[in-house]
PDB file of all heavy atoms in Angstrom:
ATOM      1  N   SER B   5     118.450 163.267  84.122  1.00  0.00           N
ATOM      2  CA  SER B   5     117.530 163.067  82.988  1.00  0.00           C
ATOM      3  C   SER B   5     118.060 161.772  82.329  1.00  0.00           C
ATOM      4  O   SER B   5     118.969 161.066  82.874  1.00  0.00           O
ATOM      5  CB  SER B   5     117.481 164.201  82.040  1.00  0.00           C
ATOM      6  OG  SER B   5     118.856 164.418  81.460  1.00  0.00           O
ATOM      7  N   LYS B   6     117.513 161.435  81.115  1.00  0.00           N
ATOM      8  CA  LYS B   6     118.066 160.364  80.469  1.00  0.00           C
ATOM      9  C   LYS B   6     119.539 160.530  80.006  1.00  0.00           C
ATOM     10  O   LYS B   6     120.210 159.549  79.760  1.00  0.00           O
ATOM     11  CB  LYS B   6     117.130 160.079  79.249  1.00  0.00           C
ATOM     12  CG  LYS B   6     115.791 159.499  79.612  1.00  0.00           C
ATOM     13  CD  LYS B   6     114.939 159.264  78.286  1.00  0.00           C
ATOM     14  CE  LYS B   6     113.582 158.866  78.663  1.00  0.00           C
ATOM     15  NZ  LYS B   6     112.684 158.731  77.661  1.00  0.00           N
ATOM     16  N   LYS B   7     119.851 161.801  79.729  1.00  0.00           N
ATOM     17  CA  LYS B   7     121.159 162.067  79.211  1.00  0.00           C
ATOM     18  C   LYS B   7     122.203 162.632  80.233  1.00  0.00           C
ATOM     19  O   LYS B   7     123.396 162.484  79.951  1.00  0.00           O
ATOM     20  CB  LYS B   7     121.112 163.096  78.034  1.00  0.00           C
ATOM     21  CG  LYS B   7     120.254 162.601  76.864  1.00  0.00           C
ATOM     22  CD  LYS B   7     120.137 163.794  75.894  1.00  0.00           C
ATOM     23  CE  LYS B   7     119.124 163.423  74.835  1.00  0.00           C
ATOM     24  NZ  LYS B   7     118.959 164.547  73.876  1.00  0.00           N
ATOM     25  N   THR B   8     121.796 163.199  81.272  1.00  0.00           N
ATOM     26  CA  THR B   8     122.678 164.069  82.138  1.00  0.00           C
ATOM     27  C   THR B   8     122.385 163.649  83.611  1.00  0.00           C
ATOM     28  O   THR B   8     121.199 163.504  83.873  1.00  0.00           O
ATOM     29  CB  THR B   8     122.385 165.570  81.885  1.00  0.00           C
ATOM     30  OG1 THR B   8     122.585 165.807  80.516  1.00  0.00           O
ATOM     31  CG2 THR B   8     123.399 166.438  82.749  1.00  0.00           C
ATOM     32  N   ILE B   9     123.443 163.698  84.309  1.00  0.00           N
ATOM     33  CA  ILE B   9     123.314 163.604  85.820  1.00  0.00           C
ATOM     34  C   ILE B   9     124.029 164.692  86.442  1.00  0.00           C
ATOM     35  O   ILE B   9     125.120 165.084  86.049  1.00  0.00           O
ATOM     36  CB  ILE B   9     123.847 162.272  86.296  1.00  0.00           C
ATOM     37  CG1 ILE B   9     123.592 162.005  87.794  1.00  0.00           C
ATOM     38  CG2 ILE B   9     125.261 162.006  86.015  1.00  0.00           C
ATOM     39  CD1 ILE B   9     123.875 160.601  88.353  1.00  0.00           C
ATOM     40  N   ALA B  10     123.381 165.272  87.463  1.00  0.00           N
ATOM     41  CA  ALA B  10     124.069 166.365  88.241  1.00  0.00           C
ATOM     42  C   ALA B  10     124.581 165.919  89.579  1.00  0.00           C
ATOM     43  O   ALA B  10     123.722 165.575  90.433  1.00  0.00           O
ATOM     44  CB  ALA B  10     123.039 167.510  88.382  1.00  0.00           C
ATOM     45  N   VAL B  11     125.843 165.930  89.712  1.00  0.00           N
ATOM     46  CA  VAL B  11     126.443 165.523  90.972  1.00  0.00           C
ATOM     47  C   VAL B  11     126.927 166.648  91.764  1.00  0.00           C
ATOM     48  O   VAL B  11     127.776 167.417  91.279  1.00  0.00           O
ATOM     49  CB  VAL B  11     127.583 164.554  90.707  1.00  0.00           C
ATOM     50  CG1 VAL B  11     128.339 164.111  92.032  1.00  0.00           C
ATOM     51  CG2 VAL B  11     127.161 163.277  89.776  1.00  0.00           C
ATOM     52  N   PRO B  12     126.393 166.890  92.959  1.00  0.00           N
ATOM     53  CA  PRO B  12     126.727 168.074  93.770  1.00  0.00           C
ATOM     54  C   PRO B  12     128.139 167.915  94.248  1.00  0.00           C
ATOM     55  O   PRO B  12     128.722 166.838  94.407  1.00  0.00           O
ATOM     56  CB  PRO B  12     125.730 168.020  94.903  1.00  0.00           C
ATOM     57  CG  PRO B  12     125.385 166.601  95.056  1.00  0.00           C
ATOM     58  CD  PRO B  12     125.398 166.013  93.677  1.00  0.00           C
ATOM     59  N   PRO B  13     128.776 169.067  94.505  1.00  0.00           N
ATOM     60  CA  PRO B  13     130.099 169.066  95.049  1.00  0.00           C
ATOM     61  C   PRO B  13     130.152 168.322  96.422  1.00  0.00           C
ATOM     62  O   PRO B  13     131.200 167.864  96.879  1.00  0.00           O
ATOM     63  CB  PRO B  13     130.487 170.564  95.214  1.00  0.00           C
ATOM     64  CG  PRO B  13     129.256 171.284  94.880  1.00  0.00           C
ATOM     65  CD  PRO B  13     128.299 170.411  94.307  1.00  0.00           C
ATOM     66  N   GLY B  14     129.007 168.192  97.044  1.00  0.00           N
ATOM     67  CA  GLY B  14     128.852 167.502  98.317  1.00  0.00           C
ATOM     68  C   GLY B  14     129.326 166.024  98.176  1.00  0.00           C
ATOM     69  O   GLY B  14     129.831 165.447  99.178  1.00  0.00           O
ATOM     70  N   ALA B  15     129.144 165.470  97.019  1.00  0.00           N
ATOM     71  CA  ALA B  15     129.606 164.079  96.795  1.00  0.00           C
ATOM     72  C   ALA B  15     131.085 163.962  96.991  1.00  0.00           C
ATOM     73  O   ALA B  15     131.639 163.060  97.604  1.00  0.00           O
ATOM     74  CB  ALA B  15     129.245 163.597  95.433  1.00  0.00           C
ATOM     75  N   THR B  16     131.866 165.030  96.564  1.00  0.00           N
ATOM     76  CA  THR B  16     133.310 164.989  96.700  1.00  0.00           C
ATOM     77  C   THR B  16     133.720 165.263  98.184  1.00  0.00           C
ATOM     78  O   THR B  16     134.540 164.683  98.700  1.00  0.00           O
ATOM     79  CB  THR B  16     133.904 166.117  95.839  1.00  0.00           C
ATOM     80  OG1 THR B  16     133.538 165.905  94.553  1.00  0.00           O
ATOM     81  CG2 THR B  16     135.406 166.146  95.864  1.00  0.00           C
ATOM     82  N   ILE B  17     132.903 166.103  98.867  1.00  0.00           N
ATOM     83  CA  ILE B  17     133.090 166.351 100.282  1.00  0.00           C
ATOM     84  C   ILE B  17     132.931 165.058 100.999  1.00  0.00           C
ATOM     85  O   ILE B  17     133.699 164.722 101.875  1.00  0.00           O
ATOM     86  CB  ILE B  17     132.096 167.447 100.842  1.00  0.00           C
ATOM     87  CG1 ILE B  17     132.419 168.759 100.174  1.00  0.00           C
ATOM     88  CG2 ILE B  17     132.205 167.492 102.285  1.00  0.00           C
ATOM     89  CD1 ILE B  17     131.443 169.824 100.385  1.00  0.00           C
ATOM     90  N   LYS B  18     131.817 164.326 100.746  1.00  0.00           N
ATOM     91  CA  LYS B  18     131.486 163.104 101.394  1.00  0.00           C
ATOM     92  C   LYS B  18     132.654 162.084 101.171  1.00  0.00           C
ATOM     93  O   LYS B  18     133.079 161.360 102.113  1.00  0.00           O
ATOM     94  CB  LYS B  18     130.141 162.469 100.827  1.00  0.00           C
ATOM     95  CG  LYS B  18     129.731 161.212 101.501  1.00  0.00           C
ATOM     96  CD  LYS B  18     128.386 160.903 101.065  1.00  0.00           C
ATOM     97  CE  LYS B  18     127.755 159.763 101.933  1.00  0.00           C
ATOM     98  NZ  LYS B  18     126.468 159.406 101.524  1.00  0.00           N
ATOM     99  N   GLU B  19     133.240 162.036  99.992  1.00  0.00           N
ATOM    100  CA  GLU B  19     134.413 161.108  99.706  1.00  0.00           C
ATOM    101  C   GLU B  19     135.527 161.545 100.598  1.00  0.00           C
ATOM    102  O   GLU B  19     136.286 160.739 101.096  1.00  0.00           O
ATOM    103  CB  GLU B  19     134.724 161.214  98.288  1.00  0.00           C
ATOM    104  CG  GLU B  19     133.848 160.479  97.223  1.00  0.00           C
ATOM    105  CD  GLU B  19     134.190 160.659  95.818  1.00  0.00           C
ATOM    106  OE1 GLU B  19     135.275 161.202  95.492  1.00  0.00           O
ATOM    107  OE2 GLU B  19     133.372 160.189  94.978  1.00  0.00           O
ATOM    108  N   GLN B  20     135.805 162.830 100.680  1.00  0.00           N
ATOM    109  CA  GLN B  20     136.942 163.396 101.437  1.00  0.00           C
ATOM    110  C   GLN B  20     136.730 163.034 102.942  1.00  0.00           C
ATOM    111  O   GLN B  20     137.691 162.579 103.588  1.00  0.00           O
ATOM    112  CB  GLN B  20     136.993 164.888 101.298  1.00  0.00           C
ATOM    113  CG  GLN B  20     137.485 165.381  99.976  1.00  0.00           C
ATOM    114  CD  GLN B  20     138.925 165.186  99.707  1.00  0.00           C
ATOM    115  OE1 GLN B  20     139.749 165.377 100.589  1.00  0.00           O
ATOM    116  NE2 GLN B  20     139.262 164.807  98.480  1.00  0.00           N
ATOM    117  N   LEU B  21     135.559 163.075 103.398  1.00  0.00           N
ATOM    118  CA  LEU B  21     135.294 162.710 104.782  1.00  0.00           C
ATOM    119  C   LEU B  21     135.471 161.242 105.014  1.00  0.00           C
ATOM    120  O   LEU B  21     136.051 160.830 106.105  1.00  0.00           O
ATOM    121  CB  LEU B  21     133.880 163.119 105.229  1.00  0.00           C
ATOM    122  CG  LEU B  21     133.518 164.633 105.121  1.00  0.00           C
ATOM    123  CD1 LEU B  21     132.131 164.852 105.659  1.00  0.00           C
ATOM    124  CD2 LEU B  21     134.595 165.402 106.053  1.00  0.00           C
ATOM    125  N   GLN B  22     135.044 160.478 104.109  1.00  0.00           N
ATOM    126  CA  GLN B  22     135.207 158.910 104.230  1.00  0.00           C
ATOM    127  C   GLN B  22     136.721 158.567 104.199  1.00  0.00           C
ATOM    128  O   GLN B  22     137.148 157.808 104.974  1.00  0.00           O
ATOM    129  CB  GLN B  22     134.492 158.208 103.085  1.00  0.00           C
ATOM    130  CG  GLN B  22     132.980 158.279 103.260  1.00  0.00           C
ATOM    131  CD  GLN B  22     132.248 157.678 101.989  1.00  0.00           C
ATOM    132  OE1 GLN B  22     132.827 157.665 100.900  1.00  0.00           O
ATOM    133  NE2 GLN B  22     130.886 157.429 102.184  1.00  0.00           N
ATOM    134  N   ASP B  23     137.468 159.223 103.303  1.00  0.00           N
ATOM    135  CA  ASP B  23     138.895 158.958 103.169  1.00  0.00           C
ATOM    136  C   ASP B  23     139.597 159.413 104.514  1.00  0.00           C
ATOM    137  O   ASP B  23     140.652 158.795 104.949  1.00  0.00           O
ATOM    138  CB  ASP B  23     139.560 159.805 102.049  1.00  0.00           C
ATOM    139  CG  ASP B  23     139.134 159.202 100.682  1.00  0.00           C
ATOM    140  OD1 ASP B  23     138.494 158.196 100.602  1.00  0.00           O
ATOM    141  OD2 ASP B  23     139.382 159.984  99.641  1.00  0.00           O
ATOM    142  N   ARG B  24     139.179 160.354 105.204  1.00  0.00           N
ATOM    143  CA  ARG B  24     139.751 160.825 106.426  1.00  0.00           C
ATOM    144  C   ARG B  24     139.036 160.166 107.631  1.00  0.00           C
ATOM    145  O   ARG B  24     139.481 160.446 108.769  1.00  0.00           O
ATOM    146  CB  ARG B  24     139.513 162.344 106.548  1.00  0.00           C
ATOM    147  CG  ARG B  24     140.401 163.173 105.633  1.00  0.00           C
ATOM    148  CD  ARG B  24     140.058 164.609 105.640  1.00  0.00           C
ATOM    149  NE  ARG B  24     141.004 165.505 104.916  1.00  0.00           N
ATOM    150  CZ  ARG B  24     141.118 165.598 103.631  1.00  0.00           C
ATOM    151  NH1 ARG B  24     140.275 164.866 102.810  1.00  0.00           N
ATOM    152  NH2 ARG B  24     141.936 166.404 103.104  1.00  0.00           N
ATOM    153  N   HIS B  25     138.074 159.370 107.513  1.00  0.00           N
ATOM    154  CA  HIS B  25     137.315 158.687 108.606  1.00  0.00           C
ATOM    155  C   HIS B  25     136.763 159.752 109.543  1.00  0.00           C
ATOM    156  O   HIS B  25     136.854 159.652 110.757  1.00  0.00           O
ATOM    157  CB  HIS B  25     138.198 157.675 109.330  1.00  0.00           C
ATOM    158  CG  HIS B  25     138.734 156.580 108.345  1.00  0.00           C
ATOM    159  ND1 HIS B  25     138.037 155.623 107.898  1.00  0.00           N
ATOM    160  CD2 HIS B  25     140.009 156.477 107.980  1.00  0.00           C
ATOM    161  CE1 HIS B  25     138.782 154.880 107.108  1.00  0.00           C
ATOM    162  NE2 HIS B  25     139.963 155.388 107.144  1.00  0.00           N
ATOM    163  N   MET B  26     136.244 160.792 108.911  1.00  0.00           N
ATOM    164  CA  MET B  26     135.695 161.996 109.696  1.00  0.00           C
ATOM    165  C   MET B  26     134.228 161.985 109.609  1.00  0.00           C
ATOM    166  O   MET B  26     133.614 161.881 108.557  1.00  0.00           O
ATOM    167  CB  MET B  26     136.330 163.266 109.136  1.00  0.00           C
ATOM    168  CG  MET B  26     135.987 164.517 110.029  1.00  0.00           C
ATOM    169  SD  MET B  26     136.558 166.063 109.277  1.00  0.00           S
ATOM    170  CE  MET B  26     138.209 165.816 108.997  1.00  0.00           C
ATOM    171  N   SER B  27     133.600 162.123 110.723  1.00  0.00           N
ATOM    172  CA  SER B  27     132.028 162.187 110.814  1.00  0.00           C
ATOM    173  C   SER B  27     131.700 163.573 110.331  1.00  0.00           C
ATOM    174  O   SER B  27     132.458 164.602 110.404  1.00  0.00           O
ATOM    175  CB  SER B  27     131.616 161.936 112.233  1.00  0.00           C
ATOM    176  OG  SER B  27     131.934 163.044 113.096  1.00  0.00           O
ATOM    177  N   GLN B  28     130.392 163.639 109.904  1.00  0.00           N
ATOM    178  CA  GLN B  28     129.828 164.995 109.523  1.00  0.00           C
ATOM    179  C   GLN B  28     129.785 165.911 110.812  1.00  0.00           C
ATOM    180  O   GLN B  28     130.062 167.153 110.591  1.00  0.00           O
ATOM    181  CB  GLN B  28     128.403 164.827 108.910  1.00  0.00           C
ATOM    182  CG  GLN B  28     128.457 164.298 107.535  1.00  0.00           C
ATOM    183  CD  GLN B  28     127.034 164.324 106.941  1.00  0.00           C
ATOM    184  OE1 GLN B  28     126.187 165.053 107.293  1.00  0.00           O
ATOM    185  NE2 GLN B  28     126.835 163.476 105.922  1.00  0.00           N
ATOM    186  N   LYS B  29     129.583 165.338 111.951  1.00  0.00           N
ATOM    187  CA  LYS B  29     129.530 166.121 113.160  1.00  0.00           C
ATOM    188  C   LYS B  29     130.933 166.823 113.369  1.00  0.00           C
ATOM    189  O   LYS B  29     130.981 167.992 113.620  1.00  0.00           O
ATOM    190  CB  LYS B  29     129.222 165.360 114.340  1.00  0.00           C
ATOM    191  CG  LYS B  29     129.057 166.067 115.622  1.00  0.00           C
ATOM    192  CD  LYS B  29     128.592 165.216 116.786  1.00  0.00           C
ATOM    193  CE  LYS B  29     128.477 166.070 117.958  1.00  0.00           C
ATOM    194  NZ  LYS B  29     127.763 165.400 119.097  1.00  0.00           N
TER     195      LYS B  29
END
């Protein structure tokens, strides 16, 4: 909304995968 953003825990998972150079597969 104009005041709030909802970031799913999946964003953290995605960061973790990127840091580990791990594919979703």
Side-chain angles (χ1 to χ4, degrees):
S5 65
K6 290 179 182 174
K7 299 177 186 176
T8 305
I9 184 168
V11 180
T16 303
I17 294 169
K18 190 173 184 176
E19 288 175 8
Q20 291 285 321
L21 296 181
Q22 289 170 345
D23 290 349
R24 289 172 169 76
H25 305 287
M26 187 185 302
S27 69
Q28 283 187 26
K29 182 176 182 170

